[in-house]
Amino acid sequence: MTAPVVTWDDILEVGQGGPGCGLLHIDGKQPRGNYRYLPPALVHNGKVYASTFVSGGFIICAVDPVTLVRQELSKRIPYARLKSVEDGRITYFDHHSGDSESVLEIVPRQGLLARLSARRAKG
């Protein structure tokens, strides 16, 4: 399996002097939903990680390159320009005009059966 090709289109400045956010394309197709993303997007372990622009900030997400479904990994944060993905962690710049960094742990979602089994084991 080859890595997905990530490209950008229609990059616009978000607010005066703000970062440029644009339309993300994965293998020539846009992820589901009407979102703008802050470059760069990072490909890691078969997923595309990107920072989605939302009202009042950004949400870090993972996009499945086959289904183009976007999964939110963080709550809304003021700024998130991705730097790297490794060892189950996303490192991102948390300020537009500086080099301050933060880390987000990538927590895989448990399936329904795993959650139910965990509840039964506790109770």
Side-chain angles (χ1 to χ4, degrees), residues 8-89:
W8 300 89
D9 189 21
D10 195 27
I11 295 179
L12 302 172
E13 189 177 83
V14 178
Q16 189 170 357
C21 294
L23 303 176
L24 173 67
H25 297 273
I26 301 170
D27 293 330
K29 298 176 184 170
Q30 284 186 285
R32 295 177 191 237
N34 189 20
Y35 297 101
R36 288 195 166 269
Y37 296 86
L38 177 65
L42 305 174
V43 178
H44 182 72
N45 287 343
K47 295 215 179 208
V48 176
Y49 294 90
S51 184
T52 308
F53 174 71
V54 296
S55 179
F58 295 85
I59 294 175
I60 298 173
C61 64
V63 180
D64 183 308
V66 176
T67 64
L68 299 173
V69 171
R70 174 184 163 275
Q71 175 189 1
E72 294 182 354
L73 301 176
S74 73
K75 295 180 179 181
R76 186 179 69 215
I77 46 184
Y79 184 77
R81 181 169 44 96
L82 303 187
K83 178 182 177 185
S84 65
V85 180
E86 57 191 346
D87 299 326
R89 301 161 43 126

Side-chain angles (χ1 to χ4, degrees), residues 6 50 65 72 93:
V6 175
E72 294 182 354
F93 295 102

